Each structure stands twice: as C-alpha cells, then as structure tokens.
Amino acid sequence: MSATVNPPVAFTQDELGWVSWIDPLPEAELTERHYAGLVDRSRAKSEYFRLLVRDPEVLEARTKTDKDIFYNVVDGLPRAERELAAAATSRYNGCIYCASVHARFASTYSKRRDDVQRLLDEGVKADLGERWNAVVKASVALASTPIAFGPANIAELRRAGLDDAEIVDVINGASFFNWANRLMLSLGEPSK
Amino acid sequence: MMSTQDIIDTLAGIEPGSALDAVRARRLQARENAQKSYLSLFEPIDAGDVSLLERAAVAAFVTGLHGESPVATFYREKLAASAGGAALLGAIDAEIARGKTSGPYGSYPAGPLSVENTAGLIYRVSAASKPALGARLAAALEHAHLLVFRPRDAAAADMKALLDAGWSATGIVTFSQLVAFLSFQVRVVSGLRTLAAVNA
C-alpha cells in the first residue's frame, strides 16, 4: 500500500516497521467494541492492530493468550527462553519481523546477544549450548508440518533441566508463534 | 461463553485432576483465551464476512493437511455436521490428499537469505473440486495451503486474489486468524499429548 516500504533482506535485531497490504480501520472509526478487542488502547496507533481489530473478539482472545504465555512469570520458564522459543520459531518459519522483535527480547532478558545473533545469522542449527539447543530443536520440531515433535524432544528438554511446567511453556511459546508468524507474514510486510 | 468443554484439553486427552491439568491451571488466562479464540472463530457473534460453513471447510482442510490426528478428526466431523458440509466432504478430502507435503518452505527477499530458498509444491485446487467448492472457497483453500506450508511466500498479490474472489477485508482478517489459530491449536494439542504419553 505504501510507496515507502524498504523491506529488510536479512534477519536482524534492529527495530523494524510493518506495513499492511489491506486497509486497517481508521482510528476515527473505532468503537468501544474495537477498543475492547485492542486490550491496550494505545494499540489504536498501530497499523497492524487496527487491521486485526476488524475482528475484535478474535483479536482480544489472541492478545490475552499471548500475554499470559509470555508475561506470566510467577513460575515456569524464564522470560528469555520463552522469547528464544518465539525467535527460533520465527527464524524457522521465515518471519523476519517477528524474529527481530523476539530476538531483541531474548537478548535483553538473557544478556546473550551474540548467541541470539548467531541464531539469526546461522539459522536454527546454530550451536547455542545444551539448554538453548534443546529449546530451539523442540520449537523447530513443533513448527514443522507434519509436526515432528516427539518423546525425544521431551527427553532432551529434561536432560537440559526443564520440568513439565517449563516444557509446557516451550510448547505454548513455540506453538503461539505459528499463529503470530502467519498473521505478520500474510497480511503485510516489514520495512526498515 | 465458557460453557463448552475446553477444546484443547479434550483433544489432548487431559483429564481433570491430572498433572498436566494442574500445569495448565497455572496459565489460566492462556487456557481460557485459547478457548475464547476457538469460540470466537467457530461460534462468532457475526458470521457475515465468513460463513460457518466456510470456517468448517477451511478448518477441516488445514488440520487435514497436518496429517491424521484427533484435531483433524474433530474438524472433519464438525464439517460433516455443518449445514451443507456433508456435500463438501468428498472435495475437501480429495484436496487434502493433493495438498499434503512437508513445510515450511518458500523464498526470501533477494539477498543473503536467498541461499535458504526451498522449492516445494505450489498448490492449486483441482478442476474437479471447483464446482463443489465454488470460487470463494477454492481461493480460500489455495491461500490456506500457502499459510500452512510456505507462509514466507505470502505477497500483496495473494490479498488481491482473495479480494477478487469475493472476500472482504474483514473476511480476510477473520480467515487469516482462523488458519493461524489452527496452526497454534494443532501444535499445542500435539505437544501436550506427547508430554502426557511420556508421563503415562
């Protein structure tokens, strides 16, 4: 839609923009039903969310699912590794935009920026140490179609020290990005 | 709205009171909103832009492409039970058989990632199935296959193809959420079933 799109051609931790291919709702047309769907009112400024809010009920439920999977840290997997699952899934599916956001978060929470960058540069086979390798491998197995996740992935996650609640966080985080990637990739494109 | 049994628990075989039930209870908002996502897509308050039959047909196709599973069976039965759905079962089954492959594959924007480009099936609905499916659903299945197996190939032209086939912008958003949500749901169910089986 926009003439100013400058698509990135490589995976990056830089901040990217995103431009919709179909019309978002104009901010002036948003009703209370739409604001409920946006969850955070400030999201009315985002082209992506004003597009998704065309179906406000689905957007609201999706956003709340996302927030709990990634931000509810009362227990379970550390934030860094939930973000790693999201970044690895995005790298494997090929979503440059989602990978940029969640690689950045993984770096922030883990302080392992160089390892995260190797995931982006070398791909999901990059050697990131036993625990991260197990998370990346499980995420990739889940993202494959047909789904390749099996008992060997669970054994590997356990050897790396994850308990069942943490394994469920890997499953949820990686699975969720198969949702997110398909929206970002199919409704518009990233811009530098 | 939450009166329906939790669909992920049902499909993953998670029993009330089990260890995995307790783990899921610690992410109650995620559990409840995955369920609300399902209900919003399959029992919407407004089905004006995407009919219930279209939702059921796309769901049977998408989950069928992922292979045999309780999820695929569930949505195939949902299609069979939908008004007008039984007449589509043959065409959907035939298209699943034609569309099955392994993903993700596809191309990146020209540049350093081009070495990772992977060729694969570019699926199109068969001429034999088109009369039963109609133009709108035929376009939807082709787009759903793109999203399932090669989402990185999606382009602005694919939006135009859907608009040309009669899909509204709002309908495209709902339809995209449907395919994307199912991509999530089928994986959560598969992951949790695997974990439950290992623990059994």
Side-chain angles (χ1 to χ4, degrees):
Chain A
M1 277 175 43
S2 167
T4 59
V5 177
N6 179 21
V9 296
F11 287 94
T12 174
Q13 297 190 51
D14 293 348
E15 289 202 29
L16 300 174
W18 185 90
V19 181
S20 176
W21 285 325
I22 52 177
D23 293 333
L25 292 182
E27 205 176 335
E29 287 180 19
L30 299 180
T31 65
E32 281 310 309
R33 179 183 168 218
H34 295 123
Y35 280 110
L38 289 169
V39 182
D40 300 327
R41 290 184 84 89
S42 63
R43 288 186 164 177
K45 300 292 176 200
S46 153
E47 191 165 318
Y48 177 64
F49 288 112
R50 273 189 292 110
L51 174 64
L52 293 184
V53 86
R54 285 179 171 279
D55 192 327
E57 288 76 30
V58 177
L59 175 60
E60 179 181 358
R62 192 210 75 107
T63 299
K64 289 179 175 173
T65 308
D66 179 0
K67 282 180 182 279
D68 201 34
I69 289 174
F70 285 94
Y71 295 97
N72 180 349
V73 288
V74 173
D75 51 19
L77 204 60
R79 279 279 281 131
E81 287 160 346
R82 300 186 204 194
E83 296 296 345
L84 177 67
T89 303
S90 304
R91 178 65 178 84
Y92 186 59
N93 280 330
C95 187
I96 291 173
Y97 182 86
C98 295
S100 73
V101 174
H102 297 278
R104 216 158 53 233
F105 283 153
S107 289
T108 299
Y109 290 106
S110 69
K111 315 290 183 207
R112 291 174 59 180
R113 193 175 196 287
D114 292 348
D115 285 335
V116 172
Q117 190 59 41
R118 285 202 296 120
L119 171 69
L120 296 183
D121 291 344
E122 297 171 24
V124 295
K125 297 257 170 70
D127 184 1
L128 308 175
E130 184 190 16
R131 187 169 164 110
W132 277 26
N133 286 349
V135 171
V136 170
K137 207 164 155 188
S139 302
V140 166
L142 274 167
S144 301
T145 309
I147 298 162
F149 184 88
N153 293 108
I154 289 170
E156 205 166 56
L157 290 165
R158 285 190 174 153
R159 276 198 301 275
L162 279 73
D163 64 22
D164 276 12
E166 293 173 317
I167 292 171
V168 169
D169 283 341
V170 173
I171 291 169
N172 278 335
S175 296
F176 185 83
F177 267 78
N178 284 282
W179 188 347
N181 292 164
R182 286 178 171 82
L183 295 176
M184 300 289 331
L185 282 168
S186 75
L187 296 170
E189 64 188 310
S191 177
K192 281 195 278 196
Chain B
M1 194 164 172
M2 299 306 295
S3 59
T4 316
Q5 199 180 357
D6 187 89
I7 191 72
I8 288 175
D9 282 344
T10 304
L11 295 175
I14 294 175
E15 300 290 341
S18 67
L20 277 182
D21 178 50
V23 169
R24 290 204 82 211
R26 285 144 73 178
R27 293 285 184 279
L28 205 55
Q29 180 175 303
R31 184 189 226 167
E32 288 180 351
N33 281 284
Q35 177 75 359
K36 280 186 185 170
S37 301
Y38 165 79
L39 292 172
S40 304
L41 288 163
F42 291 97
E43 298 174 23
I45 57 174
D46 178 4
D49 289 278
V50 190
S51 74
L52 295 178
L53 178 60
E54 287 170 337
R55 292 168 199 242
V58 169
F61 180 67
V62 164
T63 56
L65 288 176
H66 284 79
E68 292 301 313
S69 76
V71 184
T73 303
F74 173 82
Y75 285 109
R76 192 177 188 281
E77 287 170 359
K78 190 170 193 64
L79 175 60
S82 301
L88 291 181
L89 280 177
I92 295 292
D93 284 343
E95 293 307 308
I96 290 169
R98 293 181 65 249
K100 266 194 187 167
T101 181
S102 299
Y105 54 93
S107 297
Y108 286 99
L113 290 170
S114 297
V115 294
E116 292 186 31
N117 290 353
T118 314
L121 173 67
I122 308 295
Y123 162 84
R124 293 290 176 257
V125 168
S126 70
S129 295
K130 276 191 177 163
L133 295 172
R136 261 177 72 96
L137 209 39
L141 296 195
E142 290 177 358
H143 193 72
H145 192 278
L146 168 78
L147 290 190
V148 168
F149 288 109
R150 50 186 186 102
R152 61 179 174 257
D153 274 350
D158 297 302
M159 296 287 97
K160 188 173 181 306
L162 287 172
L163 292 166
D164 289 349
W167 289 82
S168 66
T170 296
I172 290 172
V173 168
T174 296
F175 164 74
S176 303
Q177 287 276 20
L178 175 65
V179 177
F181 165 76
L182 291 165
S183 303
F184 158 81
Q185 190 189 47
V186 72
R187 287 174 171 82
V188 171
V189 168
S190 173
L192 294 177
R193 282 189 78 84
T194 304
L195 186 53
V198 166
N199 287 346

